[in-house]
Amino acid sequence: MTPDSGAPLPLVDGVFKIADGRPVLLVSRCSSCNERFFPPRERCAACSNENMQTEEASQDGELYTWTVVRELGGQREGFVPYVVGQIDLAGGPRVTGVVVCDPDAPAIRMPVRLCLIPQGYDDAGNELAGYGFEPADAKR
Amino acid sequence: MTKAVVAGVGMLPFGRHRDKTLSGLGAEAVSAALSDAGLAWRDVQAMYCGIVGGGMNPGAGIGERLGYTGLPITSIDNASASGSSAFREASLAVAAGRVDVAVAAGAGKLSQSFGGGSARPGSPEEREANIRIMQGIMPPAGYFAMRTRRRIHDFGSTIEQFALVSVKNHKNASRNPFAQLQNELTVEQIARARMIADPLTVPHCCPMGDGAAAAVVVSEKRARQLGLQPAITVEASAFRSGIYRNGPPDEAETTHLTAQEAYAQAGLGPDDIDLVQVHDAFTVEEIEYCEQLGFCEVGEGERMIENGETAIGGRIPFSTDGGLLARGHPLGPTGIAQVWETVQQLRGLSGPRQVAGARVGLVHMVGVGGVCIVHVLKRS
């Protein structure tokens, strides 16, 4: 778990990995009915089968729908506004996440790709990052 | 009537389970009991969960882990007797002949969660909280805003059409002295109001508030003794959670399935219903549920509100008391307030908001965890 390159660590283990500075989401596939789930789960939500396999999902997708959170718990300052979307990854499944973009930018079917979002530091001072999305044409 | 028989039991050692969440503990115990009984989760027809604390509808979290099979799941908080209450309800459900297989479950994680507080570093609760952060923390309005946005895309509807639901509900509430918001509103005012989650401004969302409601239910024999005239009877009581079909369940599909069950129980259909109370915490909901309850085809919900068909005096009035959007939604009492309104309407005592000749009312609620409950009340 010791980073040797200054690369951030995933905020949560077992949900996504970081490859070449970008997140790769880990998806559970049911060995019985082939349904895919994110975040990963131990048991199929569709058929209750307990034999799940872990796969890597595509890093690209498009917006299924989205909103701009303007107010949270009565707070209207601080982190808001920010964009949250449901994203259909290429080949599935549909996942929910923050979209890093201008609140005026999103549109349904807009191409997006996974990106890292800084999430502070752990107790040992390692940089942490979560997954998020950005427009596919965003400058890297 | 039948006797309830205990077919299997399961439990986890009491002590500390820091690596598991509350719902994870509950799901493990249920799996153990089912295994002991030689039954599978799919065989279970009703589950009652005794849990103290644990957020809204902790029992649904146990069901979500085991799979979306659509069964009714009830969370019970009766303090130290929560598990006993769950066992009682499961036994009664079987004894009454309503189900053949019921599960009573209980779970507690007081080593960390008693009295609330934030998740301990490294705990599974913290892990789940971090996943929620990555998924984008949202108020409930955010989820319904995304649903509204997608509906606008799919059906070419406009946000003004959704605003009409709030206009209609505020008008009904202005005639209801028990409503939280008794002011009338225009589409223009709603468009100008503060944005909560695009495209939903404040009047597209129900208010927070306090309140209470109650109902007394008696047998037919007792009703005759009391000389109740007219008698308002419960013709249907249907309760489902979500079922996995083309993806994780949503409230619209669960509403459709629950309504079908209620109509079958009552031997009635949408054409027999005179008024409806729905879970309209957000404006898009009346549009969707109007379709899913069978009052129009999917895609016609916007036309229903535009043509005034869900207004008092229209073909099928919805939320005659102002609904969650204007009568208010203090969570606990809301479903009983809907029954109160329906009973007053069926008695013909609703004054300026009376639905003429109302004989049959449908009452609909959805809740966190994807549950849906539909009752049909009839004046006989």
Side-chain angles (χ1 to χ4, degrees), chain B residues 238-242 251 254-256 258-259 364-367 370-374:
Chain B
F239 177 12
R240 293 185 64 93
S241 62
E251 292 86 352
T254 309
T255 290
H256 171 74
T258 310
H364 160 273
M365 277 297 274
V366 297
V371 303
C372 180
I373 300 179
V374 173

Side-chain angles (χ1 to χ4, degrees), chain B residues 165 168-169 282-290 305 310 318:
Chain B
V165 175
K168 182 261 296 173
N169 280 18
F282 301 94
T283 49
V284 65
E285 293 188 89
E286 173 177 310
I287 308 272
E288 289 182 346
Y289 303 148
C290 187
I305 184 71
T310 59
F318 267 56

Side-chain angles (χ1 to χ4, degrees), chain B residues 147-182:
Chain B
R147 249 163 81 173
T148 303
R149 168 109 41 212
R150 186 66 202 191
R151 172 135 188 141
I152 289 170
H153 175 85
D154 288 344
F155 294 99
S157 30
T158 65
I159 192 64
E160 288 77 19
Q161 290 174 310
F162 298 98
L164 288 172
V165 175
S166 190
V167 171
K168 182 261 296 173
N169 280 18
H170 275 259
K171 184 176 177 185
N172 291 351
S174 74
R175 305 172 184 178
N176 179 7
F178 288 82
Q180 182 170 347
L181 303 175
Q182 297 179 31

Side-chain angles (χ1 to χ4, degrees), chain B residues 110-341:
Chain B
L110 273 53
S111 69
Q112 283 161 45
S113 64
F114 194 68
S118 57
R120 190 177 58 85
S123 67
E125 287 81 3
E126 185 198 50
R127 185 175 192 275
E128 291 196 349
N130 282 335
I131 291 173
R132 283 196 296 274
I133 286 170
M134 293 189 290
Q135 290 176 322
I137 301 287
M138 286 190 299
Y143 168 70
F144 286 95
M146 290 203 283
R147 249 163 81 173
T148 303
R149 168 109 41 212
R150 186 66 202 191
R151 172 135 188 141
I152 289 170
H153 175 85
D154 288 344
F155 294 99
S157 30
T158 65
I159 192 64
E160 288 77 19
Q161 290 174 310
F162 298 98
L164 288 172
V165 175
S166 190
V167 171
K168 182 261 296 173
N169 280 18
H170 275 259
K171 184 176 177 185
N172 291 351
S174 74
R175 305 172 184 178
N176 179 7
F178 288 82
Q180 182 170 347
L181 303 175
Q182 297 179 31
N183 58 314
E184 292 205 45
L185 277 177
T186 65
V187 170
E188 293 72 28
Q189 284 173 300
I190 293 169
R192 283 200 303 265
R194 195 174 81 239
M195 190 70 79
I196 298 281
D198 304 28
L200 303 184
T201 59
V202 170
H204 283 276
C205 314
C206 68
M208 310 286 273
D210 309 327
V216 177
V217 181
V218 301
S219 66
E220 286 181 301
K221 182 182 171 189
R222 192 67 216 255
R224 280 193 299 273
Q225 289 169 351
L226 291 167
L228 291 184
Q229 199 55 251
I232 310 294
T233 53
V234 181
E235 297 292 313
S237 174
F239 177 12
R240 293 185 64 93
S241 62
I243 190 165
Y244 199 99
R245 293 224 286 208
N246 301 313
D250 64 37
E251 292 86 352
E253 184 184 26
T254 309
T255 290
H256 171 74
L257 295 170
T258 310
Q260 294 301 308
E261 202 170 304
Y263 289 139
Q265 283 180 24
L268 298 170
D271 291 346
D272 301 305
I273 307 295
D274 298 314
L275 76 157
V276 178
Q277 315 299 326
V278 285
H279 180 282
D280 45 12
F282 301 94
T283 49
V284 65
E285 293 188 89
E286 173 177 310
I287 308 272
E288 289 182 346
Y289 303 148
C290 187
E291 300 167 347
Q292 299 299 335
L293 293 169
F295 297 106
C296 62
E297 297 295 316
V298 172
E300 293 181 350
E302 287 85 350
R303 182 184 57 73
M304 292 286 287
I305 184 71
E306 255 183 349
N307 293 350
E309 296 192 56
T310 59
I312 294 169
R315 178 163 70 87
I316 179 71
F318 267 56
S319 298
T320 49
D321 63 354
L324 280 61
L325 287 164
R327 179 248 293 125
H329 183 30
L331 297 178
T334 306
I336 303 174
Q338 292 179 317
V339 170
W340 180 91
E341 170 68 5

